[in-house]
Amino acid sequence: MTDSPRSDVGRWGGNPWQPPTTPSPEPEPEPELDTRSRRGGRSFWARCCACCSCRNGTDGDWGSEPHGDRGSRGRGSRSGSRRPDSRGSDSRRPGSRTGGVNAAGDGTIREGMLVVTGVDLLSARSDQNRREHHTDEFEYDELIIRRGQPFHMVLHFSRPYESSDHVALELVIGNNPEVGKGTHVIIPVGKGGSGGWKAQVTKASGQNLNLRVHTSPNAIIGKFQFTVRTRSEAGEFQLPFDPHNEIYILFNPWCPEDIVYVDHEDWRQEYVLNESGRIYYGTEAQIGERTWNYGQFDHGVLDACLYILDRRGMPYGGRGDPVSVSRVISAMVNSLDDNGVLIGNWSGDYSRGTNPSAWVGSVEILLSYLRTGYSVPYGQCWVFAGVTTTVLRCLGLATRTVTNFNSAHDTDTSLTMDIYFDENMKPLEHLNHDSVWNFHVWNDCWMKRPDLPSGFDGWQVVDATPQETSSGIFCCGPCSVESIKNGLVYMKYDTPFIFAEVNSDKVYWQRQDDGSFKIVYVEEKAIGTLIITKAVGSNMRDDVTHIYKHPEGSEAERKAVETAAAHGSKPNVYASRDSAEDVAMQVEAQDAVMGQDLEVCVVLSNRGGSPRTVKLHLYLSVTFYTGVTGPVFKESKKEVVLAPGATDRVSMPVAYKEYRPQLVDQGSMLLNVSGHVKESGQVLAKQHTFRLRTPDLSLTLLGAAVVGQECEVQIVFKNPLPVTLTNVVFRLEGSGLQRPKILNVGDIGGNETVTLHQKFVPVRPGPRQLIASLDSPQLSQVHGVIQVDVAPAPGGGGFFSDAGGNSGSGETIPMASRGGA
């Protein structure tokens, strides 16, 4: 582009992106050593989610409240280094150690005491607990359970268990565990616990005790430290903390008592357990799709998700509330004002990081954030949404990635998209602050809303792309889709902004001779024209527009718009509308391919009984998908005379050499059409966006895929451009198949075909998706995917390892072959 476009004030709201000298303004310690940063948490919760605080509780069963420094992600190397209680009450604190065991009183083990010699949490992926809790795909050895559902364990004692013995299980999380906040849970065996917690003996055999433990459906989610305390006539004993006995607790959409419950098994399979999905982009008429590796079960991802909550400083006591958790995630997936996961960048200059189009999944991003503590460069809306889907599914919330085509960005809370023109219908760019994105991607997550009146449960919008601030923080949602559909913009959170994105009207204002502005045209069907997500159980598209809005033009839809507008900054926006409209206009664009010539066409129809003369003006420019436009590089003026009932076509050819110098990353063509009907004074106005298609990568599996055995994939790409692609980088990723891998390929000549081969070792059986992308300064948004059906290892089961991933600078790959056009 020859001139800089106007700044994207919508997405940055006065905080324009600037390339940082380091990925994050504040270096963080290695997460493996310290993941309990609470910087900035107070102001966020004071403004956004103060409902999390609750009063301290007391414990009348087992003595004093524990104190000390404990994180939800404690490592084994830290367990033995915790500082003793300054009050000398080590024996009363879960987590303190004085040696191999921790006993009451003088610290000695007396004869007859019920000493816990071991704990078996039955945490293997193939064990009953993991399978029943739908957590057997997590590449973790620790026990991972879902709240509100029982699990089993076995306690090993130094002697047989007797009816006079007292045993209690304890779980603690956070820096200052308190019973009243749910961060210190005490479960007396054989007695009813508080809040749904209880433990029952299912079998006592010799020195082993089998337990069935019921967890509360309202339990805090996170990584708990676990211990056992016993009391007998000989004295009291407490098992020291062991990092191998830490327990992850997640939300449970399978539990009817959990407010995230989903009453459809196929939905749970898709929105909680599916590790890959489709994300849609482009325009309504030219929908592009890409496969995204969510990878929520990959090793390290669960720790990264919990680290995000720690990094925000979210109070542990609030982590049982999905409304609060999803709101924090929407704030933390972007880096603005909190050093969150992803740095947004819409500038087109990605030299300091990764082009957002090049990512193929969330795993590399989240593991980098966990490993370094630095925000990852760079993201745009589909990357923010893909990562959000990963995080929320990982934590147990049913979540999907949703694309809204022709997504409005209302900057002045008018709940309309206002476009201003001068007396000659030339756009007044200095007044046109509202913008319409070709597409915008966000998330739906499923939950009840006890904080709202009845009727607003179900799908809730969460948007992690930094747009406008909400209570001073760059976050958005959760917002009930039902409130959006009916224009109830006074419902929290952020309903006015999201309503405008999907169902505002596009209002054209023309400056009059006296300097005032008059509404000359209203497009009622220009915003939120199509809202789609991946279908359940297939790779087809699912049109969900109907859950966001009533049918366009219906009485219910118009009522919703007017209800919303009445609460906006321009409640009387429709008062001055004129409606003499007997000439209709439609824009057509052929399926344009990057590197080829194209043609646009405007169709005019006279639906009246009198001749009409139309003065038509066409302006063509390149636009970012965010609606920010470059300068007009081609225009055409024409006068058309239409007989009654007649139709005429006005076309404008565009050569590749004309638009090539204007191309921008993620760019599309924007055709602005304005017209004036001489006889009636009718004003015609239309904005039409169309994208240039890019080629796909062709992936072919060479041989059978078996867990633990090396197999090979072939990737073929043909450069569609007559110019050389420089510094070409491939990315390869697939959960259960391949950890994120970067391949530096070098240059690919104009119209050249290249082939490369990559080997990988599957680690989990079943149907998997291997996803690849190509990126270069000259061409991006090139993807490919192949389904890989992995057979179990000959000996059965699977394995996992941190090996095989490469998220660093990448390796240089020689071409297997090159060919011409």
Side-chain angles (χ1 to χ4, degrees):
M1 294 171 56
T2 56
D3 297 317
S4 298
R6 65 182 174 85
S7 61
D8 188 1
V9 295
R11 289 300 168 191
W12 292 102
N15 287 275
W17 172 86
Q18 305 224 351
T21 54
T22 61
S24 178
E26 294 186 32
E28 279 290 305
E30 285 288 322
E32 286 79 5
L33 299 178
D34 187 356
T35 61
R36 297 176 305 235
S37 171
R38 305 188 59 171
R39 196 162 41 248
R42 182 179 300 278
S43 61
F44 176 83
W45 288 100
R47 288 177 285 170
C48 287
C49 295
C51 58
C52 293
S53 61
C54 57
R55 298 187 179 186
N56 297 350
T58 58
D59 172 21
D61 290 336
W62 291 90
S64 61
E65 189 71 50
H67 294 275
D69 188 357
R70 298 176 195 89
S72 67
R73 297 180 53 255
R75 302 286 181 181
S77 61
R78 296 164 52 207
S79 298
S81 61
R82 288 188 172 88
R83 188 172 300 171
D85 193 310
S86 60
R87 298 173 301 167
S89 57
D90 268 6
S91 62
R92 313 295 292 182
R93 291 179 57 242
S96 58
R97 305 178 179 227
T98 57
V101 294
N102 202 6
D106 57 10
T108 59
I109 302 298
R110 300 184 181 89
E111 184 178 356
M113 288 178 60
L114 188 63
V115 176
V116 182
T117 59
V119 174
D120 187 355
L121 295 177
L122 308 175
S123 61
R125 289 181 54 202
S126 58
D127 282 344
Q128 177 184 4
N129 284 335
R130 296 282 295 272
R131 287 186 286 105
E132 289 184 348
H133 285 254
H134 308 278
T135 61
D136 51 313
E137 287 289 331
F138 278 98
E139 295 176 355
Y140 278 75
D141 290 326
E142 293 90 345
L143 178 61
I144 304 174
I145 60 174
R146 301 186 188 275
R147 67 185 192 177
Q149 186 174 336
F151 67 97
H152 301 267
M153 70 170 65
V154 181
L155 301 182
H156 305 291
F157 295 124
S158 58
R159 62 169 175 79
Y161 171 77
E162 300 173 357
S163 59
S164 59
D165 293 324
H166 297 273
V167 178
L169 314 178
E170 296 193 36
L171 296 101
V172 297
I173 189 172
N175 298 333
N176 296 291
E178 298 179 22
V179 171
K181 292 184 178 180
T183 52
H184 180 199
V185 180
I186 301 172
I187 315 168
V189 172
K191 298 180 181 179
S194 59
W197 295 91
K198 62 180 180 179
Q200 300 167 313
V201 176
T202 58
K203 181 181 179 182
S205 175
Q207 295 175 198
N208 298 333
L209 190 68
N210 292 53
L211 300 178
R212 178 182 172 93
V213 183
H214 296 258
T215 61
S216 168
N218 303 310
I220 290 167
I221 64 159
K223 189 174 186 179
F224 285 78
Q225 295 176 321
F226 172 77
T227 188
V228 183
R229 193 184 294 193
T230 70
R231 188 168 60 199
S232 62
E233 293 181 359
E236 182 179 314
F237 170 86
Q238 181 174 312
L239 180 72
F241 278 128
D242 184 338
H244 293 98
N245 292 338
E246 290 176 313
I247 299 174
Y248 293 91
I249 299 180
L250 308 177
F251 292 116
N252 193 354
W254 282 266
C255 174
E257 288 75 38
D258 194 326
I259 66 173
V260 305
Y261 174 65
V262 177
D263 190 20
H264 304 281
E265 178 57 26
D266 56 343
W267 283 25
R268 294 190 290 250
Q269 292 293 323
E270 179 68 47
Y271 299 137
V272 182
L273 300 182
N274 195 348
E275 294 177 82
S276 65
R278 295 291 176 93
I279 299 179
Y280 303 98
Y281 62 94
T283 68
E284 176 192 4
Q286 298 170 302
I287 298 173
E289 60 183 58
R290 57 178 298 162
T291 303
W292 190 266
N293 181 45
Y294 296 124
Q296 66 267 32
F297 302 133
D298 274 30
H299 186 67
V301 170
L302 177 53
D303 284 313
C305 297
L306 297 177
Y307 174 55
I308 290 171
L309 302 181
D310 292 344
R311 184 70 176 264
R312 175 68 265 181
M314 184 181 188
Y316 287 93
R319 299 189 189 189
D321 175 20
V323 175
S324 299
V325 169
S326 62
R327 188 153 172 81
V328 168
I329 296 304
S330 82
M332 281 298 296
V333 168
N334 70 76
S335 67
L336 286 184
D337 57 39
D338 51 24
N339 296 333
V341 177
L342 273 162
I343 300 170
N345 183 354
W346 288 262
S347 73
D349 176 10
Y350 311 119
S351 57
R352 293 175 178 268
T354 299
N355 184 333
S357 300
W359 299 115
V360 292
S362 307
V363 176
E364 182 181 351
I365 295 168
L366 288 167
L367 294 186
S368 174
Y369 188 64
L370 174 68
R371 183 177 64 253
T372 69
Y374 291 157
S375 301
V376 179
Y378 296 106
Q380 292 180 5
C381 68
W382 66 92
V383 187
F384 290 113
V387 171
T388 299
T389 297
T390 297
V391 174
L392 294 181
R393 284 187 185 181
C394 184
L395 297 178
L397 285 169
T399 307
R400 60 190 186 186
T401 309
V402 176
T403 301
N404 177 40
F405 289 98
N406 294 311
S407 185
H409 182 193
D410 179 20
T411 59
D412 60 2
T413 67
S414 65
L415 301 177
T416 58
M417 293 300 101
D418 301 297
I419 305 174
Y420 294 92
F421 298 85
D422 66 12
E423 294 82 352
N424 300 312
M425 287 302 290
K426 182 178 180 181
L428 295 169
E429 284 298 325
H430 67 285
L431 295 179
N432 292 333
H433 301 303
D434 291 347
S435 61
V436 179
W437 292 39
N438 301 344
F439 68 95
H440 180 43
V441 188
W442 62 64
N443 301 92
D444 284 346
C445 58
W446 184 273
M447 68 182 76
K448 293 180 180 178
R449 289 299 298 271
D451 58 325
L452 296 179
S454 176
F456 296 97
D457 298 339
W459 290 117
Q460 314 290 322
V461 173
V462 174
D463 191 348
T465 302
Q467 304 164 89
E468 304 291 331
T469 58
S470 172
S471 301
I473 299 293
F474 279 97
C475 60
C476 185
C479 169
S480 165
V481 172
E482 188 67 21
S483 67
I484 298 167
K485 183 174 184 176
N486 292 292
L488 305 178
V489 295
Y490 45 83
M491 291 288 180
K492 63 181 183 181
Y493 291 96
D494 310 305
T495 312
F497 186 85
I498 302 171
F499 177 87
E501 288 183 301
V502 302
N503 205 13
S504 55
D505 289 340
K506 188 183 288 187
V507 180
Y508 294 79
W509 299 78
Q510 184 179 27
R511 187 168 61 195
Q512 306 300 297
D513 292 338
D514 61 359
S516 64
F517 284 88
K518 176 184 178 183
I519 296 176
V520 292
Y521 186 67
V522 176
E523 278 191 275
E524 296 180 348
K525 301 178 182 180
I527 303 300
T529 50
L530 179 66
I531 306 172
I532 57 176
T533 187
K534 177 187 173 299
V536 172
S538 79
N539 286 324
M540 302 296 289
R541 298 195 295 261
D542 186 11
D543 185 344
V544 295
T545 312
H546 63 283
I547 76 165
Y548 275 88
K549 56 202 296 188
H550 297 283
E552 283 284 6
S554 66
E555 182 178 347
E557 189 265 343
R558 286 292 90 196
K559 180 180 179 181
V561 172
E562 292 173 10
T563 298
H567 291 85
S569 61
K570 300 174 185 173
N572 300 315
V573 70
Y574 296 106
S576 59
R577 287 179 57 183
D578 294 328
S579 59
E581 300 179 355
D582 55 5
V583 175
M585 180 173 66
Q586 184 178 356
V587 178
E588 297 177 351
Q590 67 185 57
D591 194 13
V593 178
M594 182 76 75
Q596 297 183 7
D597 298 344
L598 57 96
E599 185 179 58
V600 294
C601 183
V602 177
V603 181
L604 297 171
S605 302
N606 182 3
R607 298 179 298 189
S610 304
R612 291 290 183 251
T613 303
V614 182
K615 290 185 176 182
L616 204 61
H617 202 155
L618 284 66
Y619 305 90
L620 188 63
S621 57
V622 169
T623 176
F624 289 90
Y625 87 96
T626 57
V628 177
T629 60
V632 173
F633 68 87
K634 187 163 187 177
E635 61 181 281
S636 175
K637 296 181 181 180
K638 191 168 184 180
E639 184 170 287
V640 181
V641 178
L642 297 170
T647 297
D648 199 358
R649 303 167 70 89
V650 176
S651 62
M652 184 170 68
V654 185
Y656 170 65
K657 65 180 181 181
E658 291 180 288
Y659 69 76
R660 175 187 167 187
Q662 313 296 325
L663 290 176
V664 295
D665 181 67
Q666 280 290 307
S668 298
M669 297 294 171
L670 174 66
L671 180 66
N672 270 291
V673 185
S674 62
H676 181 266
V677 180
K678 182 178 179 181
E679 292 82 4
S680 65
Q682 178 187 349
V683 174
L684 300 170
K686 187 77 173 179
Q687 292 180 315
H688 180 80
T689 305
F690 57 97
R691 73 181 184 94
L692 301 172
R693 284 198 299 108
T694 51
D696 293 328
L697 298 176
S698 174
L699 276 66
T700 305
L701 192 66
L702 306 178
V706 180
V707 169
Q709 297 182 14
E710 189 177 78
C711 58
E712 189 173 20
V713 64
Q714 173 182 279
I715 305 173
V716 179
F717 166 72
K718 180 179 179 180
N719 179 5
L721 303 181
V723 300
T724 297
L725 306 182
T726 60
N727 301 320
V728 176
V729 175
F730 283 81
R731 271 182 161 79
L732 196 64
E733 181 177 322
S735 287
L737 296 174
Q738 171 66 59
R739 300 284 274 183
K741 194 170 191 178
I742 301 172
L743 312 173
N744 296 315
V745 170
D747 297 346
I748 299 177
N751 299 122
E752 182 181 5
T753 298
V754 298
T755 302
L756 57 87
H757 294 88
Q758 275 298 300
K759 296 179 179 179
F760 62 96
V761 179
V763 298
R764 285 187 275 147
R768 305 285 166 191
Q769 304 248 345
L770 187 65
I771 310 166
S773 75
L774 175 148
D775 181 58
S776 79
Q778 294 79 23
L779 184 67
S780 61
Q781 198 77 344
V782 178
H783 311 99
V785 61
I786 186 172
Q787 171 136 337
V788 180
D789 294 313
V790 183
F799 71 97
F800 62 87
S801 168
D802 278 326
N806 179 8
S807 56
S809 59
E811 56 185 277
T812 301
I813 302 297
M815 294 300 174
S817 63
R818 291 180 181 264

